[in-house]
Amino acid sequence: MQGPLIDTLVRQGVSRRSFMKYCATLASLMALPPAAGRAMAQAMAAARRPSVIWLPFQECTGCTESITRSHSPSLEGMIFDMVSLDYQETLMAAAGHQAEEALEKAIEDNKGQFLLIIDGSVATGLDGAYSCIAGRTNLDLLKHVAPHAAAIVAVGSCAAFGGIPKAKPNPTGAVAVSDIIKDKPIVNVPGCPPIPVVMTGVLAHFLTFGSLPELDRLGRPKAFYGETIHDRCYRRPFYDQGKFAKTFDDEGARKGWCLFELGCKGPVTYNACATVKWNAGTSWPVEGGHGCLGCSEPDFWDGGGFYKALSMPADPLKMAATAAVVGAAAGVAASFANRAKKGGAKAAHETVTLADLEK
Amino acid sequence: MPLDAIPIVAVHGDAPSAQAGLVPGALSGNAPALLREIAEHLRRLLAGAEPAAIDLRAMPLTPADLDWLRERLGSGEVNATLLADGESTIVETACPGVWWVTHRNDRDVVVAEFIEVTFLPELLKAHPEDVQFGLEHLELLISDLS
C-alpha cells in the first residue's frame, strides 16, 4: 500500500514506457523543460503515495465529476487513484461515524504531511450553519483540518474564489478557502469545473518536487493559468483580422470567426482550455461555437451577462482593465454590434431568445 | 424542424494556428535557428554530455516550420513505433543521434512532440525490472516443457 508509486502502477498493468510517455507529455503541458520529463518519471516512480483528504463544502460535485471522469481509465485517473485518498465523501465506502473516524485517523497518521483538497465555498452566514456535515459546519471543519495539512488545493471556482454560492446576493455568506485560512500554502485550481489534467498536474508536481508549482497573483499554477484563452485561441487570427460572428448562426459563426462580440470572455480569462481542451482533447467551448464564460475568474457569475461583449461592461469598475486591453475602437464597434444584434437576430430567427433580450 | 435544416457548414482548409500572429501556411523564420541548436546539442553529446531534448510544442513554430524542419532533417535507418497508451513514433533522422519523437494519445491526437539528441532514446530501452519479469516468464515457459 505504501510502496513506490511505480510498483502500484505496474500491478495495475501500466507499463514503464507508458508512464515515461505520460511524464514527458505532462512536462510539456506544464511548460517544464523537456529534461524535466525524465526527472519527473524518476521522482514520481519512487514517490510514496501521499495521503489526501478531500472535503466537499458548498458545491455541486461537478468538480468531482470532472476529475473522476478524466477520460477513464486514463493514466491521469490512475495516478489520481494512486494517491492515498483517505477521505472523500462522494467516493468513500464508509459512512456515518466510521467515515468521520477515518478522517480523524488520516489527520492523526499524516500530521503535517497530507494534502488537503477542498471543493466548494465556505458558508459563513449564521456562523456557517448553511452547510454542515455530520452536524458540523464547513467553517468549523476547515479550521479543524487545515492546520494539520502540508498544503491546501482549492479545487473549482467555489473553493478558489467563492464561485456561484458567492454570486450576488450571496445569501449564505460564502467565501473562498483563502479568505479563512491565511497561514498555509494554498493552490487555487479554479474552473467550473477545472480541467482534470490541471488537478493531476498539481498533484504530480507535489509528488515530483515535494513542493507546489509556481503560482500567479490569484494563487493559480502559472503552468496552466499563465495565458488567456484569447492568447491561445485558434480563432485568434479572426480577431486580429476584425472578423466577428454577430449572431450564433450567421455566416461569420458558420465560418468559425471570433466570438468576441457574442460575449466571449476569452481575453480576460486565464485557463488552459484552448490548449488542453476537454473530453480527452475532443473539443472545448469556443470550438463548440460558444464564447468563453470566464469560469476560472473570480466572480464570473456576476460579470454582467454571458452574451454581452467585454467592452460594454455592466460593472465598469471591475471591467476597467478589460476596456484597456481591447482598445477603444473595438469597444465602440462592439457596442454598435450589440445594439444591432437584436435587430439582426429578429431578422434571422422566427423567435428572439432570452439571451437576445438581455442586450 | 428536421436536424439537417440546421445550417452547420464544415469549413476546410488550413486550421488557424494556436500561436497568435503566426500564419499557418507560412514560415515564421524560427526553424533555421533550431538546426543550429540541434548541432550544438550533437557537439555536446559527442563530448560526453547528457542527452538533450527540444520540446517542439513549446516553440513558436507554424505547421509549415515543422514541415520545413522535418524535410531538412530527413529520415534515417530507425523507425520505431511504441504502443503504450496510444501510438508513439520514434524516428531517427538522417543525422544519426537526432530523433524525432511524436506522442499520440489513444484517440490518435498528437499530445507531445520532441526532438531528442541522444545515442538511444530512453523510451526504447527495456527497464531492468521489466527484463526481470521477462526472465521469470521465460523460465515458466521452460519449466512447462518438461
Side-chain angles (χ1 to χ4, degrees):
Chain A
M1 175 127 180
Q2 282 298 321
L5 181 61
I6 190 70
D7 288 354
T8 325
L9 285 172
V10 167
R11 269 204 299 281
Q12 302 239 342
V14 178
S15 78
R16 270 166 224 278
R17 288 197 182 97
S18 26
F19 183 66
M20 281 171 67
K21 176 174 166 176
Y22 170 75
C23 289
T25 310
L26 196 63
S28 170
L29 207 60
M30 292 169 76
L32 296 168
R38 206 166 27 177
M40 277 176 96
Q42 279 164 4
M44 279 175 74
R48 311 256 153 189
R49 301 160 67 216
S51 173
V52 171
I53 293 175
W54 182 314
L55 297 176
F57 291 160
Q58 279 199 122
E59 45 87 30
C60 69
T61 315
C63 296
T64 310
E65 289 281 346
S66 167
I67 281 140
T68 54
R69 286 163 199 214
S70 64
H71 187 218
S72 62
S74 72
L75 258 179
E76 286 100 314
M78 284 180 175
I79 283 182
F80 191 67
D81 284 342
M82 291 310 113
V83 299
S84 175
L85 192 55
D86 292 328
Y87 184 90
Q88 215 280 15
E89 283 168 9
T90 313
L91 303 176
M92 68 197 300
H97 294 298
Q98 273 186 334
E100 299 313 306
E101 274 167 31
L103 173 62
E104 293 306 323
K105 188 172 182 306
I107 296 172
E108 200 52 46
D109 290 350
N110 306 288
K111 248 183 186 164
Q113 313 257 309
F114 65 88
L115 206 57
L116 177 60
I117 298 182
I118 292 172
D119 66 331
S121 62
V122 188
T124 59
L126 296 180
D127 291 327
Y130 283 106
S131 184
C132 295
I133 298 165
R136 204 167 182 190
T137 67
N138 294 166
L139 187 62
D140 185 41
L141 196 58
L142 178 62
K143 285 179 175 169
H144 168 62
V145 180
H148 306 298
I152 300 174
V153 183
V155 169
S157 293
C158 295
F161 305 132
I164 292 172
K166 192 185 165 222
K168 289 168 191 161
N170 190 3
T172 64
V175 296
V177 171
S178 55
D179 291 327
I180 307 285
I181 305 298
K182 301 287 184 191
D183 56 353
K184 286 282 167 192
I186 299 178
V187 182
N188 285 332
V189 182
C192 194
I195 302 174
V197 75
V198 179
M199 261 293 326
T200 47
V202 171
L203 282 176
H205 199 285
F206 186 72
L207 279 168
T208 315
F209 304 108
S211 65
L212 296 170
E214 197 188 350
L215 307 177
D216 72 0
R217 66 186 172 89
L218 292 173
R220 302 175 291 199
K222 276 187 180 169
F224 297 106
Y225 298 89
E227 285 171 292
T228 65
I229 295 289
H230 188 60
D231 283 338
R232 302 304 299 265
C233 182
Y234 75 103
R235 296 194 189 212
R236 175 63 186 263
F238 294 117
Y239 174 89
D240 295 335
Q241 294 162 26
K243 290 178 175 167
F244 299 100
K246 309 280 182 188
T247 69
F248 278 109
D249 58 358
D250 68 0
E251 196 199 351
R254 269 174 251 148
K255 285 183 171 165
W257 288 357
C258 178
L259 300 166
F260 178 82
E261 291 185 5
L262 289 170
C264 181
K265 304 293 181 284
V268 292
T269 304
Y270 289 82
N271 207 339
C273 304
T275 42
V276 179
K277 299 192 183 182
W278 284 86
N279 294 324
T282 305
S283 184
W284 59 294
V286 170
E287 197 173 335
H290 193 286
C292 167
L293 302 183
C295 76
S296 57
E297 293 296 316
D299 302 323
F300 79 101
W301 204 259
D302 294 321
F306 292 143
Y307 302 100
K308 283 203 172 77
L310 267 175
S311 41
M312 40 178 314
D315 189 345
L317 282 177
K318 190 153 279 162
M319 295 292 188
T322 310
V325 171
V326 269
V332 172
S335 70
F336 272 114
N338 264 344
R339 226 173 296 156
K341 209 184 314 170
K342 196 154 62 181
K346 256 183 192 153
H349 299 275
E350 293 290 273
T351 52
V352 175
T353 65
L354 194 63
D356 296 321
L357 294 174
E358 198 192 347
K359 282 142 200 163
Chain B
M1 189 176 73
L3 264 184
D4 54 11
I6 300 172
I8 296 173
V9 181
V11 181
H12 296 287
D14 289 339
S17 168
Q19 302 280 355
L22 297 177
V23 185
L27 292 170
S28 68
N30 292 335
L34 274 180
L35 287 183
R36 293 192 172 85
E37 184 176 342
I38 294 165
E40 182 56 29
H41 283 313
L42 272 180
R43 265 179 228 120
R44 289 188 195 177
L45 185 73
L46 284 173
E50 288 284 297
I54 298 168
D55 185 350
L56 293 173
R57 285 282 173 113
M59 301 284 161
L61 299 172
T62 62
D65 285 334
L66 287 175
D67 289 344
W68 184 90
L69 203 58
R70 246 200 139 129
E71 201 183 307
R72 289 298 176 289
L73 288 172
S75 53
E77 294 171 330
V78 186
N79 189 342
T81 306
L82 170 70
L83 299 171
D85 208 38
E87 194 179 285
S88 296
T89 49
I90 301 157
V91 179
E92 195 183 37
T93 65
C95 317
V98 180
W99 305 76
W100 193 293
V101 181
T102 308
H103 292 307
R104 289 185 176 77
N105 65 13
D106 50 10
R107 297 170 51 90
D108 217 31
V109 175
V110 176
V111 288
E113 208 162 18
F114 300 95
I115 286 175
E116 286 195 29
V117 181
T118 174
F119 294 110
L120 183 66
E122 204 68 23
L123 267 173
L124 291 178
K125 294 180 194 163
H127 192 278
E129 284 187 36
D130 288 339
V131 176
Q132 181 65 38
F133 283 131
L135 178 61
E136 282 163 22
H137 180 64
L138 203 57
E139 281 166 350
L140 205 66
L141 289 181
I142 292 167
S143 71
D144 280 350
L145 289 179
S146 51

PDB file of all heavy atoms in Angstrom, chain A residues 75-104:
ATOM      1  N   LEU A  75      -4.242   7.424 -17.602  1.00  0.00           N
ATOM      2  CA  LEU A  75      -3.166   7.436 -16.616  1.00  0.00           C
ATOM      3  C   LEU A  75      -3.414   8.494 -15.553  1.00  0.00           C
ATOM      4  O   LEU A  75      -3.137   8.289 -14.389  1.00  0.00           O
ATOM      5  CB  LEU A  75      -1.836   7.729 -17.304  1.00  0.00           C
ATOM      6  CG  LEU A  75      -0.945   6.524 -17.534  1.00  0.00           C
ATOM      7  CD1 LEU A  75       0.303   6.964 -18.237  1.00  0.00           C
ATOM      8  CD2 LEU A  75      -0.611   5.841 -16.244  1.00  0.00           C
ATOM      9  N   GLU A  76      -3.991   9.618 -15.994  1.00  0.00           N
ATOM     10  CA  GLU A  76      -4.309  10.664 -15.025  1.00  0.00           C
ATOM     11  C   GLU A  76      -5.199  10.083 -13.939  1.00  0.00           C
ATOM     12  O   GLU A  76      -4.970  10.266 -12.758  1.00  0.00           O
ATOM     13  CB  GLU A  76      -5.050  11.832 -15.689  1.00  0.00           C
ATOM     14  CG  GLU A  76      -4.209  12.722 -16.547  1.00  0.00           C
ATOM     15  CD  GLU A  76      -4.380  12.360 -18.002  1.00  0.00           C
ATOM     16  OE1 GLU A  76      -4.333  11.158 -18.302  1.00  0.00           O
ATOM     17  OE2 GLU A  76      -4.568  13.274 -18.817  1.00  0.00           O
ATOM     18  N   GLY A  77      -6.234   9.384 -14.394  1.00  0.00           N
ATOM     19  CA  GLY A  77      -7.164   8.793 -13.444  1.00  0.00           C
ATOM     20  C   GLY A  77      -6.471   7.806 -12.534  1.00  0.00           C
ATOM     21  O   GLY A  77      -6.707   7.774 -11.326  1.00  0.00           O
ATOM     22  N   MET A  78      -5.560   7.019 -13.137  1.00  0.00           N
ATOM     23  CA  MET A  78      -4.864   6.022 -12.343  1.00  0.00           C
ATOM     24  C   MET A  78      -3.965   6.669 -11.312  1.00  0.00           C
ATOM     25  O   MET A  78      -3.925   6.245 -10.160  1.00  0.00           O
ATOM     26  CB  MET A  78      -4.025   5.135 -13.247  1.00  0.00           C
ATOM     27  CG  MET A  78      -4.874   4.135 -13.981  1.00  0.00           C
ATOM     28  SD  MET A  78      -3.826   3.137 -15.010  1.00  0.00           S
ATOM     29  CE  MET A  78      -5.030   1.982 -15.619  1.00  0.00           C
ATOM     30  N   ILE A  79      -3.263   7.701 -11.732  1.00  0.00           N
ATOM     31  CA  ILE A  79      -2.385   8.367 -10.784  1.00  0.00           C
ATOM     32  C   ILE A  79      -3.210   8.995  -9.683  1.00  0.00           C
ATOM     33  O   ILE A  79      -2.833   9.011  -8.525  1.00  0.00           O
ATOM     34  CB  ILE A  79      -1.502   9.401 -11.505  1.00  0.00           C
ATOM     35  CG1 ILE A  79      -0.399   8.626 -12.204  1.00  0.00           C
ATOM     36  CG2 ILE A  79      -0.933  10.421 -10.544  1.00  0.00           C
ATOM     37  CD1 ILE A  79       0.580   9.455 -12.903  1.00  0.00           C
ATOM     38  N   PHE A  80      -4.399   9.451 -10.074  1.00  0.00           N
ATOM     39  CA  PHE A  80      -5.260  10.018  -9.057  1.00  0.00           C
ATOM     40  C   PHE A  80      -5.670   8.935  -8.064  1.00  0.00           C
ATOM     41  O   PHE A  80      -5.740   9.171  -6.870  1.00  0.00           O
ATOM     42  CB  PHE A  80      -6.474  10.668  -9.700  1.00  0.00           C
ATOM     43  CG  PHE A  80      -7.234  11.487  -8.728  1.00  0.00           C
ATOM     44  CD1 PHE A  80      -6.668  12.631  -8.208  1.00  0.00           C
ATOM     45  CD2 PHE A  80      -8.462  11.094  -8.293  1.00  0.00           C
ATOM     46  CE1 PHE A  80      -7.342  13.375  -7.278  1.00  0.00           C
ATOM     47  CE2 PHE A  80      -9.144  11.838  -7.365  1.00  0.00           C
ATOM     48  CZ  PHE A  80      -8.590  12.978  -6.855  1.00  0.00           C
ATOM     49  N   ASP A  81      -5.916   7.720  -8.598  1.00  0.00           N
ATOM     50  CA  ASP A  81      -6.207   6.593  -7.699  1.00  0.00           C
ATOM     51  C   ASP A  81      -5.008   6.281  -6.827  1.00  0.00           C
ATOM     52  O   ASP A  81      -5.131   5.728  -5.747  1.00  0.00           O
ATOM     53  CB  ASP A  81      -6.516   5.322  -8.510  1.00  0.00           C
ATOM     54  CG  ASP A  81      -7.911   5.381  -9.090  1.00  0.00           C
ATOM     55  OD1 ASP A  81      -8.703   6.186  -8.595  1.00  0.00           O
ATOM     56  OD2 ASP A  81      -8.186   4.627 -10.025  1.00  0.00           O
ATOM     57  N   MET A  82      -3.847   6.624  -7.361  1.00  0.00           N
ATOM     58  CA  MET A  82      -2.610   6.207  -6.702  1.00  0.00           C
ATOM     59  C   MET A  82      -2.256   7.054  -5.502  1.00  0.00           C
ATOM     60  O   MET A  82      -1.367   6.724  -4.759  1.00  0.00           O
ATOM     61  CB  MET A  82      -1.437   6.233  -7.690  1.00  0.00           C
ATOM     62  CG  MET A  82      -1.534   5.178  -8.747  1.00  0.00           C
ATOM     63  SD  MET A  82      -1.861   3.574  -8.044  1.00  0.00           S
ATOM     64  CE  MET A  82      -3.484   3.274  -8.672  1.00  0.00           C
ATOM     65  N   VAL A  83      -2.923   8.196  -5.354  1.00  0.00           N
ATOM     66  CA  VAL A  83      -2.733   8.880  -4.083  1.00  0.00           C
ATOM     67  C   VAL A  83      -3.578   8.115  -3.079  1.00  0.00           C
ATOM     68  O   VAL A  83      -4.506   7.399  -3.449  1.00  0.00           O
ATOM     69  CB  VAL A  83      -3.170  10.373  -4.127  1.00  0.00           C
ATOM     70  CG1 VAL A  83      -2.350  11.130  -5.134  1.00  0.00           C
ATOM     71  CG2 VAL A  83      -4.646  10.500  -4.411  1.00  0.00           C
ATOM     72  N   SER A  84      -3.212   8.213  -1.831  1.00  0.00           N
ATOM     73  CA  SER A  84      -3.999   7.514  -0.827  1.00  0.00           C
ATOM     74  C   SER A  84      -5.143   8.439  -0.412  1.00  0.00           C
ATOM     75  O   SER A  84      -4.982   9.314   0.429  1.00  0.00           O
ATOM     76  CB  SER A  84      -3.101   7.174   0.361  1.00  0.00           C
ATOM     77  OG  SER A  84      -3.869   6.601   1.375  1.00  0.00           O
ATOM     78  N   LEU A  85      -6.251   8.274  -1.092  1.00  0.00           N
ATOM     79  CA  LEU A  85      -7.387   9.155  -0.845  1.00  0.00           C
ATOM     80  C   LEU A  85      -8.090   8.674   0.417  1.00  0.00           C
ATOM     81  O   LEU A  85      -8.876   7.742   0.404  1.00  0.00           O
ATOM     82  CB  LEU A  85      -8.319   9.127  -2.059  1.00  0.00           C
ATOM     83  CG  LEU A  85      -9.413  10.183  -2.132  1.00  0.00           C
ATOM     84  CD1 LEU A  85      -8.842  11.578  -2.019  1.00  0.00           C
ATOM     85  CD2 LEU A  85     -10.179  10.053  -3.441  1.00  0.00           C
ATOM     86  N   ASP A  86      -7.793   9.300   1.535  1.00  0.00           N
ATOM     87  CA  ASP A  86      -8.229   8.764   2.822  1.00  0.00           C
ATOM     88  C   ASP A  86      -9.619   9.230   3.236  1.00  0.00           C
ATOM     89  O   ASP A  86     -10.240   8.642   4.103  1.00  0.00           O
ATOM     90  CB  ASP A  86      -7.205   9.130   3.902  1.00  0.00           C
ATOM     91  CG  ASP A  86      -5.891   8.400   3.679  1.00  0.00           C
ATOM     92  OD1 ASP A  86      -5.950   7.268   3.167  1.00  0.00           O
ATOM     93  OD2 ASP A  86      -4.827   8.956   3.987  1.00  0.00           O
ATOM     94  N   TYR A  87     -10.072  10.299   2.634  1.00  0.00           N
ATOM     95  CA  TYR A  87     -11.412  10.769   2.976  1.00  0.00           C
ATOM     96  C   TYR A  87     -11.976  11.536   1.797  1.00  0.00           C
ATOM     97  O   TYR A  87     -11.404  12.541   1.370  1.00  0.00           O
ATOM     98  CB  TYR A  87     -11.343  11.664   4.220  1.00  0.00           C
ATOM     99  CG  TYR A  87     -12.697  12.126   4.730  1.00  0.00           C
ATOM    100  CD1 TYR A  87     -13.395  11.371   5.660  1.00  0.00           C
ATOM    101  CD2 TYR A  87     -13.273  13.307   4.268  1.00  0.00           C
ATOM    102  CE1 TYR A  87     -14.647  11.793   6.133  1.00  0.00           C
ATOM    103  CE2 TYR A  87     -14.510  13.732   4.732  1.00  0.00           C
ATOM    104  CZ  TYR A  87     -15.185  12.979   5.665  1.00  0.00           C
ATOM    105  OH  TYR A  87     -16.410  13.394   6.115  1.00  0.00           O
ATOM    106  N   GLN A  88     -13.048  11.054   1.220  1.00  0.00           N
ATOM    107  CA  GLN A  88     -13.719  11.766   0.144  1.00  0.00           C
ATOM    108  C   GLN A  88     -15.161  11.319   0.189  1.00  0.00           C
ATOM    109  O   GLN A  88     -15.496  10.196  -0.174  1.00  0.00           O
ATOM    110  CB  GLN A  88     -13.094  11.432  -1.222  1.00  0.00           C
ATOM    111  CG  GLN A  88     -13.067  12.575  -2.224  1.00  0.00           C
ATOM    112  CD  GLN A  88     -14.376  12.821  -2.956  1.00  0.00           C
ATOM    113  OE1 GLN A  88     -15.422  12.338  -2.574  1.00  0.00           O
ATOM    114  NE2 GLN A  88     -14.321  13.616  -4.008  1.00  0.00           N
ATOM    115  N   GLU A  89     -16.033  12.180   0.642  1.00  0.00           N
ATOM    116  CA  GLU A  89     -17.396  11.751   0.937  1.00  0.00           C
ATOM    117  C   GLU A  89     -18.121  11.134  -0.242  1.00  0.00           C
ATOM    118  O   GLU A  89     -18.889  10.188  -0.086  1.00  0.00           O
ATOM    119  CB  GLU A  89     -18.193  12.941   1.472  1.00  0.00           C
ATOM    120  CG  GLU A  89     -17.828  13.221   2.905  1.00  0.00           C
ATOM    121  CD  GLU A  89     -18.375  14.540   3.375  1.00  0.00           C
ATOM    122  OE1 GLU A  89     -19.166  15.157   2.647  1.00  0.00           O
ATOM    123  OE2 GLU A  89     -18.004  14.948   4.474  1.00  0.00           O
ATOM    124  N   THR A  90     -17.881  11.659  -1.430  1.00  0.00           N
ATOM    125  CA  THR A  90     -18.603  11.154  -2.591  1.00  0.00           C
ATOM    126  C   THR A  90     -18.130   9.754  -2.975  1.00  0.00           C
ATOM    127  O   THR A  90     -18.906   8.937  -3.442  1.00  0.00           O
ATOM    128  CB  THR A  90     -18.403  12.105  -3.793  1.00  0.00           C
ATOM    129  OG1 THR A  90     -18.621  13.430  -3.347  1.00  0.00           O
ATOM    130  CG2 THR A  90     -19.348  11.783  -4.913  1.00  0.00           C
ATOM    131  N   LEU A  91     -16.830   9.503  -2.818  1.00  0.00           N
ATOM    132  CA  LEU A  91     -16.259   8.260  -3.331  1.00  0.00           C
ATOM    133  C   LEU A  91     -16.068   7.187  -2.271  1.00  0.00           C
ATOM    134  O   LEU A  91     -15.979   6.008  -2.592  1.00  0.00           O
ATOM    135  CB  LEU A  91     -14.900   8.545  -3.995  1.00  0.00           C
ATOM    136  CG  LEU A  91     -14.906   9.560  -5.135  1.00  0.00           C
ATOM    137  CD1 LEU A  91     -13.492   9.801  -5.621  1.00  0.00           C
ATOM    138  CD2 LEU A  91     -15.777   9.090  -6.291  1.00  0.00           C
ATOM    139  N   MET A  92     -15.992   7.580  -1.004  1.00  0.00           N
ATOM    140  CA  MET A  92     -15.625   6.592   0.018  1.00  0.00           C
ATOM    141  C   MET A  92     -16.773   5.627   0.317  1.00  0.00           C
ATOM    142  O   MET A  92     -17.953   5.962   0.180  1.00  0.00           O
ATOM    143  CB  MET A  92     -15.167   7.291   1.297  1.00  0.00           C
ATOM    144  CG  MET A  92     -16.239   8.043   2.046  1.00  0.00           C
ATOM    145  SD  MET A  92     -15.550   9.223   3.224  1.00  0.00           S
ATOM    146  CE  MET A  92     -14.606   8.205   4.300  1.00  0.00           C
ATOM    147  N   ALA A  93     -16.387   4.410   0.719  1.00  0.00           N
ATOM    148  CA  ALA A  93     -17.390   3.404   1.027  1.00  0.00           C
ATOM    149  C   ALA A  93     -17.943   3.606   2.433  1.00  0.00           C
ATOM    150  O   ALA A  93     -19.121   3.361   2.690  1.00  0.00           O
ATOM    151  CB  ALA A  93     -16.782   2.011   0.894  1.00  0.00           C
ATOM    152  N   ALA A  94     -17.079   4.041   3.346  1.00  0.00           N
ATOM    153  CA  ALA A  94     -17.508   4.210   4.732  1.00  0.00           C
ATOM    154  C   ALA A  94     -18.554   5.316   4.836  1.00  0.00           C
ATOM    155  O   ALA A  94     -18.612   6.213   4.009  1.00  0.00           O
ATOM    156  CB  ALA A  94     -16.312   4.546   5.613  1.00  0.00           C
ATOM    157  N   ALA A  95     -19.410   5.214   5.864  1.00  0.00           N
ATOM    158  CA  ALA A  95     -20.427   6.243   6.061  1.00  0.00           C
ATOM    159  C   ALA A  95     -20.586   6.490   7.557  1.00  0.00           C
ATOM    160  O   ALA A  95     -20.091   5.724   8.390  1.00  0.00           O
ATOM    161  CB  ALA A  95     -21.749   5.803   5.445  1.00  0.00           C
ATOM    162  N   GLY A  96     -21.264   7.566   7.871  1.00  0.00           N
ATOM    163  CA  GLY A  96     -21.600   7.858   9.256  1.00  0.00           C
ATOM    164  C   GLY A  96     -20.378   8.008  10.148  1.00  0.00           C
ATOM    165  O   GLY A  96     -19.377   8.598   9.761  1.00  0.00           O
ATOM    166  N   HIS A  97     -20.474   7.425  11.363  1.00  0.00           N
ATOM    167  CA  HIS A  97     -19.395   7.589  12.338  1.00  0.00           C
ATOM    168  C   HIS A  97     -18.077   7.020  11.825  1.00  0.00           C
ATOM    169  O   HIS A  97     -17.017   7.566  12.069  1.00  0.00           O
ATOM    170  CB  HIS A  97     -19.774   6.928  13.663  1.00  0.00           C
ATOM    171  CG  HIS A  97     -20.922   7.617  14.333  1.00  0.00           C
ATOM    172  ND1 HIS A  97     -20.854   8.928  14.755  1.00  0.00           N
ATOM    173  CD2 HIS A  97     -22.178   7.189  14.622  1.00  0.00           C
ATOM    174  CE1 HIS A  97     -22.025   9.282  15.287  1.00  0.00           C
ATOM    175  NE2 HIS A  97     -22.847   8.241  15.207  1.00  0.00           N
ATOM    176  N   GLN A  98     -18.170   5.889  11.098  1.00  0.00           N
ATOM    177  CA  GLN A  98     -16.962   5.271  10.521  1.00  0.00           C
ATOM    178  C   GLN A  98     -16.206   6.269   9.662  1.00  0.00           C
ATOM    179  O   GLN A  98     -14.988   6.389   9.734  1.00  0.00           O
ATOM    180  CB  GLN A  98     -17.368   4.104   9.626  1.00  0.00           C
ATOM    181  CG  GLN A  98     -17.525   2.799  10.336  1.00  0.00           C
ATOM    182  CD  GLN A  98     -17.776   1.685   9.338  1.00  0.00           C
ATOM    183  OE1 GLN A  98     -18.297   1.935   8.246  1.00  0.00           O
ATOM    184  NE2 GLN A  98     -17.400   0.479   9.698  1.00  0.00           N
ATOM    185  N   ALA A  99     -16.960   6.980   8.818  1.00  0.00           N
ATOM    186  CA  ALA A  99     -16.344   7.941   7.899  1.00  0.00           C
ATOM    187  C   ALA A  99     -15.646   9.039   8.681  1.00  0.00           C
ATOM    188  O   ALA A  99     -14.507   9.406   8.373  1.00  0.00           O
ATOM    189  CB  ALA A  99     -17.405   8.527   6.982  1.00  0.00           C
ATOM    190  N   GLU A 100     -16.311   9.550   9.681  1.00  0.00           N
ATOM    191  CA  GLU A 100     -15.719  10.637  10.454  1.00  0.00           C
ATOM    192  C   GLU A 100     -14.479  10.143  11.212  1.00  0.00           C
ATOM    193  O   GLU A 100     -13.511  10.867  11.377  1.00  0.00           O
ATOM    194  CB  GLU A 100     -16.748  11.240  11.419  1.00  0.00           C
ATOM    195  CG  GLU A 100     -17.974  11.844  10.715  1.00  0.00           C
ATOM    196  CD  GLU A 100     -17.612  12.740   9.532  1.00  0.00           C
ATOM    197  OE1 GLU A 100     -16.825  13.683   9.700  1.00  0.00           O
ATOM    198  OE2 GLU A 100     -18.106  12.480   8.422  1.00  0.00           O
ATOM    199  N   GLU A 101     -14.526   8.878  11.643  1.00  0.00           N
ATOM    200  CA  GLU A 101     -13.347   8.298  12.300  1.00  0.00           C
ATOM    201  C   GLU A 101     -12.179   8.200  11.322  1.00  0.00           C
ATOM    202  O   GLU A 101     -11.029   8.441  11.684  1.00  0.00           O
ATOM    203  CB  GLU A 101     -13.673   6.913  12.857  1.00  0.00           C
ATOM    204  CG  GLU A 101     -14.284   6.962  14.253  1.00  0.00           C
ATOM    205  CD  GLU A 101     -14.895   5.635  14.659  1.00  0.00           C
ATOM    206  OE1 GLU A 101     -14.387   4.576  14.213  1.00  0.00           O
ATOM    207  OE2 GLU A 101     -15.891   5.653  15.410  1.00  0.00           O
ATOM    208  N   ALA A 102     -12.505   7.826  10.070  1.00  0.00           N
ATOM    209  CA  ALA A 102     -11.462   7.728   9.037  1.00  0.00           C
ATOM    210  C   ALA A 102     -10.768   9.067   8.857  1.00  0.00           C
ATOM    211  O   ALA A 102      -9.546   9.142   8.692  1.00  0.00           O
ATOM    212  CB  ALA A 102     -12.067   7.254   7.721  1.00  0.00           C
ATOM    213  N   LEU A 103     -11.550  10.120   8.897  1.00  0.00           N
ATOM    214  CA  LEU A 103     -11.000  11.469   8.743  1.00  0.00           C
ATOM    215  C   LEU A 103     -10.023  11.770   9.886  1.00  0.00           C
ATOM    216  O   LEU A 103      -8.882  12.188   9.646  1.00  0.00           O
ATOM    217  CB  LEU A 103     -12.139  12.494   8.725  1.00  0.00           C
ATOM    218  CG  LEU A 103     -11.731  13.967   8.742  1.00  0.00           C
ATOM    219  CD1 LEU A 103     -10.925  14.318   7.507  1.00  0.00           C
ATOM    220  CD2 LEU A 103     -12.947  14.874   8.839  1.00  0.00           C
ATOM    221  N   GLU A 104     -10.480  11.514  11.115  1.00  0.00           N
ATOM    222  CA  GLU A 104      -9.628  11.809  12.265  1.00  0.00           C
ATOM    223  C   GLU A 104      -8.354  10.974  12.236  1.00  0.00           C
ATOM    224  O   GLU A 104      -7.269  11.444  12.556  1.00  0.00           O
ATOM    225  CB  GLU A 104     -10.392  11.554  13.577  1.00  0.00           C
ATOM    226  CG  GLU A 104     -11.555  12.521  13.818  1.00  0.00           C
ATOM    227  CD  GLU A 104     -11.133  13.986  13.739  1.00  0.00           C
ATOM    228  OE1 GLU A 104     -10.019  14.338  14.188  1.00  0.00           O
ATOM    229  OE2 GLU A 104     -11.924  14.792  13.208  1.00  0.00           O
TER     230      GLU A 104
END
